[in-house]
Amino acid sequence: MSGFLHVTGADFAAVAPEMVLCLAATLILLLDAFARPLRSYLPYVALASLAIANLAGRDVTGTFFSGAVEVSGFTRYMELVALGAVALAILGGAAALERDKRDQGEFYALLLFAAAGVILMVRGGDLLVVFIGLELMSLCLYVLAAWYRDNPAATEAGMKYFLMGALASAFLLYGVATIYGRLGTTSFAKIQGLASTPGLVAFDTMLAAGILAVVAGLAFKIALVPFHGWAPDVYQGMTTPAVAFLSTAPKAGAVLVLARVLHALFPAGLGDPWRPLLAILAVLSILFGNIVALSQRDLKRMLAYSGIAQMGYVTIALATFTTDALEGAGVFLAGYLVTNAAAFLAVAALSSGENEPKLLSELAGLGRRKPLAAAVLTLSMLSLTGLPPTVGFIGKLLVFRAAVEGGLVPLTIVGVFGSLVSVGYYLRVVYHLWMKEPAREVSLVPDDVLSGAAFLLTAALMLLWGVFPRALIDVARQAAGALLGR
Amino acid sequence: MTGVLSGVAPMAVPPGAYLVVGTLLFAIGLAGALLKRNALSIFLSIELMMNAVNLLFLTYARMRGDMAGQMIVFFVIAIAAAEASIGLAIFVALFRARRTVDVDKIALLKW
Amino acid sequence: MPALSGELVVFTIASVLAIGFALAMVVQKTPVRSVLSLVVTFMGLAIFSIQLAAPFIAVLQVFVYAGAILVLFLFVIMLLNLSQEATDEDTRPVQRWLGLVAALGLGGLLSGAALRAPLPQGAAPARTPLGDEIPAIGRLLFSDYLLAFEALSFLLLVAAVGALLLSKKRFE
Amino acid sequence: MNQLWLIPVLPLAGFLLNGLVALLFASARAEAERDADQPKARLPYAQRLFHGVVGVGSVGLACVLSFAALVPYVLESLKSHEGLAPVVQHVYTWMAAGDYSVDVAFRLDALSALMLSFVTFVGTLIHVYSVGYMQDEEGFGRFFAYLNLFMFAMLTLVLADNLPLLFVGWEGVGLCSYLLIGYYYDKDFAVAAGKKAFIANRVGDLGMVLGIFGIFALFGTADFSFVELAKRAALAPGSHISVYAVCLLLFLGACGKSAQVPLYVWLPDAMAGPTPVSALIHAATMVTAGVYLVARCSAVFVLAPDALTLVAWIGAGTAIFAATIGLAQNDIKKVLAYSTVSQLGYMFLACGVGAFSAGMFHVFTHAFFKACLFLGSGSVIMSMHHEQDMRKMGGLASRIPHTFRTMLVATIAIAGIAPLAGFFSKDMILGSAAASGHWGLFAVGLFTAFLTAFYMFRLVSMTFWSAPRGDHHAHEHAHESPATMTVPLWILAGLSVVAGLVGVPAALGGSDRIGRFLEASVARPEMHEMSHAAEIGLMALSLAVAAAGIGLALSWYRKASGPVEAVSPQADAFFAKTGALGRIVANKWNVDEGIEALVLSPFRKIGTFLWRGFDALFIDGIANASAFLVELAGDLMRFFTTGHVRNYALAFSLGALVFVLYVWVR
Amino acid sequence: MNYQPLGADLLTTLVFLPSLGALVLALAPGESKAAAKVVGIATSLLTFAVSVVMFRSFDAAAPGIAGFAIDRPWIPRFGVRYQLGVDGLAVALILLTTVLTVSVLLVACGQKIDRFKGYVAAFLVLETGMLGSLVALDVLLFYVFWEVMLIPMYFIIGIWGGKRRIYATMKFFLFTMAGSLLMFIAILYAAGVHSRATGLQSFSLVDWTRAASSGAWGLAPGVEALLFGAFALAFLVKVPLWPLHTWLPDAHVEAPTGGSVILAGVLLKLGTYGLLRFAWPLFPHAAARYGPFIAVLALIGIVYGAWVAAAQKDMKKLVAYSSVSHLALVVLGIVAGTGAALSGAIFQMIGHGLTTGLLFLLVGVLYERRHTREMADYGGIAARVPVTTALFLIATLGSVGLPGLNGFIGEFLILGGVFQVNIAWAAIAATGMVLGAIYLLTLVQKVFWGPETVAANRGLTDINGWELAGAFPLIVLIVLLGVFPRPLLNLVDGSVKALQKPAATATVTAVEAAR
């Protein structure tokens, strides 16, 4: 039983990243409101805060706030992913918002808050904290989804995302309640303690239902079939730079939390109903995502379905649930972050306006007009296809290898079939960019420094990690090891 | 993290009853979420689901004589309020843009 | 024991009310009525909270939910004056029937599970006057739940900003 | 000892020189006359001089070299009893892989010496002849380049010390015949004929190649030392192919090259090429390569008597078959072509009955008189301004006397009238056929002799005697060819008279030198000697038969004065009696039509079907269909995302429900 | 013997030099064609020079794939290595690759090509991919290069191709990828089995071959069959073997000249190379068991390809189908596995690369001028383009397998080797000689001989300097290899011996020595 306010400085140091982000966000809000002339510097403030948060998060480990947060290599990995995602979204977003005359301050602020939420969600050592982090993130995303609130599509996206999100939260909460009821605690540490002593926890129908509810709630954030319905609509309606964030960090966060939950409940490894369950989710997502993406004509929708499929591959790793598998998942997610963000930023740069539909056909002949963006988009398509020498290949390599080692060869076969199908639509983008003459002229925004930087950065990472993956793999391995305590 | 619920008597009503009621309310909320057409009504039903879950939390807490459940409920209520404000704001914006909040009329983004 | 029976009676009435009005909320044609019927349900829930030795929560329940949120709902409904809006009943048979299947199925299964699940009995010291747990809650908020509490504050900030932003008419 | 490899290499050099220069001028000409019609102009004198000198010079030099090499060799071997050891010169190792190792090595022995002699000599003459014959051609240089290349290939074939190298020459001559037949590349029939020749040859070469591997399998080597092994019947142990099969395969190759039934079809068409080509390639040298091959491998064939018998009968069949067709041809070159086929049949007949040296002897003599005939016909054609139809000729004897006389001599020679070359060789063949006891073969041969005599004198009569027909004007202006053409004619005519003397049989007091000379290289299976009396009897018989043929021909055509369409009433009357048979014969037994109907058109049809049907419809069908199905699935499944948020919620809940059930039942 | 011409070790230099040039082009601003010409030609020539240096200093006597071996960790986590090395076979194919790339770029300089810079860059990247897969000894590394090849080729066909280029390029991409993806899984599985069996985490071909030969791998027959199937499928699609061949005609027809040349010249060879390097040595028992089945497919392919080629009206399609037929012969030789057959197969790989490459190059020369590939649109142009005609004739004859040109050596040795194993196979395969003559001579006849029928051809210009420069090395090699095949045969002799040895133990010992 803990006394009154007995938190130490170490506790606050531990949550420094979240605090930095939240405070920076608040600062931005204030500047935006009261220091108009400084507005043009807001993106840089945001970026700076990211840098600071990153530094603040370095080499802290342990549990703090009496178990409310657990900081480890695992959570550190998530921090990097989240910060990276926000950075890219901001870099790419500035130009688009400028072009469309949309308020920016809150945009950055909410992105930072969302990042804080993701980080908190993954660091949470207690289901309650996880839930709060998740809600913090979600609320920001709801608002960002409806950012272009005068735009019918955007508001619709916001509405759909919000309603589904709320439903998912309810399910998640039900699961938390049940777990709490059956195990008497919501703390991962305690749950793991109970679960690791055999016979102590009876996995009866009640608990199973609870766990399932949690899985469903997180699968919704990851957008796995059949909990994916929102994704295409939201991607399509949401402002593109924000999608660059939405489609990466939250998914990654949800995946890691799921891994955390599963590991806490099944320290000895996934048992019978759960591994096949995840396998089913993976197969459904891979097949549905890839096949439906094939018939999409709207770029962002297509990328949404592709994202569903990509998360299917990650789910293969979850189903395998060995150190190698989680390491693979980590690498895959990092690669997916860079690649997907690059793709969406390129889409933003290659479109004439946020309110315009982003049709594949609009890309025709842009290879000549905007070589950099087009090249980056091409590269990311290749990476999503999983072709060497891009990071996409490395991710698939690790995941598939782990799955094969784990005896899930059938899953990998489904996976490669999916990849084969995916060639169809990923290369269609390339075809439009380089091999097709434009039907009509599209007016484009002039290249700006920030997005240019984003493009060079992502391109560099896609290739660098594809050719020299060692560093990335080592980090991911540490993360996985930290989670599984190996 | 725990806080023991200071002295409570053994429950008169079998806890299972509370759980069943809570679960039923959850299901009813779900039904509302699935069957209503008005965005607000749907969200309303979801709020009901949340409250149902709260009931479960309280029941478990009571059964275990444990504070944690109540604390969670406390937070959930707050979060629900926040959600509500955002959600309703979204609905307002939606209504401005589309002159309706009937979700069956709102399917611009599809397929 | 009469006291127990009394508790049981209260429980029964409350649950009938809660469930009944919950159902009413679902079947009501107009949003306003739905909201109002939900108020009753929440009252019932408040009663449960008291019975479950969580009076503070009960109060919150009444204040926040019934008092704040539902009122907010009513405001919005008025604002968009949805009362004129087309009735709220379902016109999509597939959705309706499958929805019922899902809801009833989950409800049945889960409550069945709830009944069958072996429930642990917590330690139960002698009864003390209500309200003693409020200080405990306060203490916990500033000790174990401090982080959550801080996070919550930012969450509310986001909610405020977001709501403000979304309901603004013009862009700057 | 001088270097054998120089002999083939010299013409090769000539080819390169001529070829490059010709190509240069050709492309310059193409540049000059772009967008314009290209007049067929005769080349400037300087160019013709260059090509002529290079062409003739290289071959002539090769000829000199080879005689320098072979004359001493021949004399030596004739002195010695059982012949001289072959001279073998290794140049370098061509390829070596696995169990196969092939050297580029040249060999001079009796056989190759014999071939070498007339190949180089006749070759040179024909080169000289061509200088005159081709003078008006704008492709003069190209022609000589091809011709030189041919000489290179032919000499390689003759001198090769192993079968693969021989095959190089073998294919090389095939290529050159393709190029030279198609020399008039803007004439469809010429090009088609060339292709036909090459492909027909390829069919043979298919057998040839497999035969070579067979030899490898049988003897462990393919250089001609295997002949010695074969003579000792020393087969490699455990070879997985029978001698019989190998012989058949090799013989298939020979059939292709030497135009035996059924692969003879290309040779008549080959006449589309310039006449010197017909003389050199399709009469004197290349077509006899098949006989040379069989003689080379005689020792092997002897090990498989059945194969020999087959060879004999194919030869005999070809001989009479081609002869019958020859009867009814009116194109002067076609007559000669079929006569060539028939004579080649004779040679194989000889080989088949084991008289390989007789076969080679006939090759030798045939080279001279048939070359002479062709060159003569060329001279005739030129004088008639490229008219080849004998029905439009007649009475040219006085107009072109040299041509007439030389051709007459050659005709007598081929008809087998003693003591000209043809008599001895043909008689040796018939003799050995009889000696070997194959009276059937003997009969066929005899009858063929009769036919040969007939159609050859028919040719002479229709061309030089009989009344002038056709274009009067052309007849008036018919003029004798230049010396570059007549001199070779006379030389060849002379040789057709004396060439036989190298093989005068003992019966006539000779000593069959050639037979003894060749013994060193070819096998001579045991056959019981006939008495000289019997031999002389046979000779008399064959002479009589030949005389009969000549007589009939003269009686029908000598004084024939009919119009173009019916030159000789008697002949027509006779053929009318033969009825359908006659028509079929006149129609070359409808062989080409048959091949077209039974082989070529099905081939084309099936090919098109496989392409359009199997590839495009079946395989691609499967590929495209599966792609289409996936697309279709996408186009249908996308509608699960209805755009109605409640459906998403429903999917969510149902998913949860189903999974709960799943988790519980597991 | 490890030369370091440009700082890095020889093989690394060789492989990445071209992409360095590509990088220069990519970063260089502007669309200057001249600059692109200089960079492209210079890079390819330099690469060729490096390959020659390698060839000169390569010790053919040294057994196995030890040449210039490099071995560095790449993904040490599970033992993926940056392991390069060459044997005679690889050296031969490398030389072919570098030569053909030079030719292609030279020809490109002489023709009108839009987005020239990208064109050159694509070919340079492609060269890196090809060379990489030729020198990679680590199976995964090989797979990486193998896939990298797809991308530039996809662009080459897709951007600079003909009318139906998109269909063609997608077909090419999907067919090839479908094959290789299964191989990918197979590789991972094999690695797993290997590490469990030997306790050594490695993707190195060397280790695997050792395991396979020493039986330490201990693959169950069924498993080995499946793995072999996956590998063989990937490579046979690339070859392509009947009935997996239908992508080839489309790809060839639609590809630009250079694309066809490289496709026919090198990419197809990488299929057979893969068979020789991986499928056969790694899974000897399965190869032995299922070889005959592949042989039957090959026999069908020989006849089928030739037969269909004879029915073509489009020059490129005809040549493409001829490739199907010729490569099937190579596969047959590989299956036969005797010394002669293997040498012949390898020789034929090179020979076919040169002859067919030249054929496509010359067809491209005509296409550049008349923008049609229909034979009917030509005819009787010999007098207009004498030089082209002469070159085309030589290429054709080389392809027909005329003795004295390179085509014959390969054909002869393959047939000879097959004959030792199975006379019937040899007999059927030999029909390819006849059929080949039929369709190729028909091609020459319809295009060059005959009367000049089409007026448009009167303005036809002969092959120009750049194109001639591109074609020249090929002609020279075609003749030289036909007359003096020994150097090449000796070069590959070591590889052949290694392949003949049961499960290629030579490889192992060699690289042991190299380490």
Side-chain angles (χ1 to χ4, degrees), chain D residues 30 33-38 92-94 99-100 178 185 188 191 195 202 206 213 240 603 610-611 614-615 620, chain E residues 171 245-246 304 307 312 321 383-384 400 412 416 419-420 430 445 449-451 458-460 482-483 485-486:
Chain D
E33 288 156 10
R34 170 144 309 109
D35 291 321
D37 297 321
Q38 297 176 324
Y92 66 97
T93 301
W94 186 26
D99 312 336
Y100 297 103
Y178 162 75
Y185 60 78
D188 275 330
V191 178
K195 195 175 87 181
R202 268 272 159 157
L206 163 67
F213 298 136
H240 59 328
F603 177 83
L610 288 178
W611 171 34
F614 191 78
D615 259 24
D620 280 355
Chain E
K171 199 172 176 184
H245 64 283
T246 56
Y304 184 97
W307 207 328
Q312 296 307 316
Y321 274 107
R384 300 287 178 189
V400 171
F412 183 82
F419 187 92
Q420 294 173 312
Q445 175 186 4
W449 306 145
R458 293 162 56 103
L460 212 53
V483 184
R486 279 299 289 294

Side-chain angles (χ1 to χ4, degrees), chain A residues 394 466-470, chain E residues 72-76 80-82 140-141 144:
Chain A
I394 301 294
V467 180
F468 305 107
R470 275 175 78 165
Chain E
R72 306 207 189 91
W74 181 39
I75 308 179
V80 183
R81 301 217 287 274
Y82 177 74
L140 201 63
L141 187 64
V144 167

Side-chain angles (χ1 to χ4, degrees), chain C residues 15 71 78 92 106 116 120 129 131 142 145 150 153 159 170 172:
Chain C
S15 45
V71 172
M78 299 305 172
R92 311 176 139 253
L106 276 175
R116 276 193 281 100
F142 287 95
Y145 291 86
E150 296 301 330
S153 60
R170 244 185 296 93
E172 305 163 3

